[in-house]
Amino acid sequence: MIRGAVLGSPISHSLSPLMHRAAYDFLGIEGSYTAIDVPSGTLESFFRDRCAQFDYLSLTMPLKEEALSLDLEIDSLTQRIQSGNTIYKAGDCWTLTSTDGSGFLAALAHAGISKVDSVLILGAGGTARAVSGALDSIAREIHVMGRSSVRQSALQSAITQAEFQYHRWVQRPDFSSYDVVVNTTPAGAADLLADAVPSGIAATLFDVIYKPWPTELAQRWSDRGGKVLNGLELLLYQGIDQLSLVLDSPFDRLALADHLRSVLQKADH
């Protein structure tokens, strides 16, 4: 019996329970997985009072940075990107890690993208840092566009190999200068950028949002001829990586990904 939950606020929209339960069914294991509303500032008390009820916890906004303050083992990747999306138990030890980056790279690989010359990341929060840290291994240049310079140093610390540039938010970025554009902002925050998408855009847009879908930016990108990946792909692969941390036996990742993609696509429509 495996016990999991996704924590965040708001959380009612999350497809994580559907996905994890579908994975349990596909893999033939018993499990329970729920969505629990945990507002900002309450993660420590929730974990203290209820951690014994679970084997792993998925974290979404606004808890990915707050989790760093918990009294847990924190792996080096999570320390570097200062963002965690998974708390899991191994023996008597709880560890905080992030599967956002590995999931993001797996989603890109599934779309046929294994190397990137130049990438623009929209937003500067925890997901942006996880994406930056992951892209560091496959991108030559990583540019981030954020609303203030407060998070610039944290983003730069997540990158050790690629060339890094930070830009203040503008309404008409030059999307044509990049191979990949990643939107990590909350729903609606990047809508006004849709007017900056040129006709015949060659770059791929990876929008980590999956509900509501399509976003205005994603719709315009598609209308202008560009390739679009949505957040279901990230949700899928980061979830598979979470399961690999907590299950004792290996499983067919490709077959599971195909199954979960079908489940999520049906639910999303």
Side-chain angles (χ1 to χ4, degrees):
M1 179 73 177
I2 187 170
R3 303 163 301 168
V6 58
L7 313 180
S9 186
I11 201 65
S12 60
H13 69 286
S14 177
L15 291 176
S16 289
L18 172 70
M19 180 182 71
H20 283 259
R21 292 169 190 164
Y24 301 158
D25 289 343
F26 183 80
L27 296 173
I29 59 178
E30 291 188 45
S32 65
Y33 191 101
T34 58
I36 304 173
D37 193 282
V38 178
S40 177
T42 67
L43 178 60
E44 183 176 3
S45 60
F46 175 90
F47 186 75
R48 181 184 63 244
D49 296 340
R50 298 188 60 184
C51 67
Q53 301 172 18
F54 303 98
D55 299 299
Y56 72 114
L57 298 165
S58 310
L59 305 177
T60 186
M61 299 303 292
L63 305 177
K64 293 184 179 184
E65 296 168 82
E66 186 174 330
L68 294 161
S69 65
L70 298 178
D71 184 18
L72 307 171
E73 292 290 327
I74 303 177
D75 65 22
S76 58
L77 168 65
T78 306
Q79 290 280 16
R80 178 160 61 89
I81 65 175
Q82 288 291 288
S83 174
N85 78 328
T86 309
I87 301 173
Y88 69 99
K89 189 176 183 181
D92 294 327
C93 179
W94 284 95
T95 298
L96 174 67
T97 190
S98 176
T99 64
D100 279 333
S102 59
F104 178 80
L105 290 184
L108 281 182
H110 178 74
I113 300 173
S114 58
K115 284 291 183 182
V116 179
D117 187 51
S118 184
V119 58
L120 174 65
I121 299 172
L122 307 176
T127 302
R129 289 197 300 276
V131 167
S132 296
L135 286 168
D136 191 35
S137 64
I138 69 166
R140 186 177 65 84
E141 293 184 8
I142 298 173
H143 296 216
V144 176
M145 190 170 81
R147 295 191 180 278
S148 76
S149 58
V150 173
R151 296 174 179 265
Q152 180 175 346
S153 60
L155 280 154
Q156 191 155 10
S157 296
I159 297 167
T160 61
Q161 302 175 58
E163 180 183 326
F164 173 76
Q165 292 188 38
Y166 190 88
H167 308 277
R168 291 295 294 272
W169 195 270
V170 294
Q171 296 301 328
R172 298 195 68 84
D174 183 9
F175 288 133
S176 61
S177 297
Y178 303 95
D179 302 312
V180 175
V181 175
V182 186
N183 178 31
T184 69
T185 65
D191 285 354
L192 292 177
L193 302 182
D195 290 338
V197 182
S199 181
I201 181 74
T204 296
L205 172 68
F206 196 136
D207 198 325
V208 304
I209 294 168
Y210 63 81
K211 188 176 287 188
W213 187 262
T215 63
E216 189 169 332
L217 179 62
Q219 185 64 62
R220 186 70 57 85
W221 207 279
S222 180
D223 291 345
R224 295 292 172 89
K227 183 176 182 178
V228 176
L229 306 176
N230 82 10
L232 288 179
E233 290 293 297
L234 176 56
L235 177 71
L236 186 160
Y237 285 107
Q238 61 83 29
I240 290 175
D241 284 349
Q242 288 177 338
L243 287 169
S244 70
L245 293 171
V246 297
L247 296 181
D248 293 331
S249 56
F251 53 86
D252 187 333
R253 294 171 64 93
L254 180 59
L256 179 58
D258 288 343
H259 175 70
L260 294 182
R261 183 175 292 108
S262 176
V263 169
L264 291 171
Q265 287 173 347
K266 288 178 182 177
D268 197 44
H269 289 93

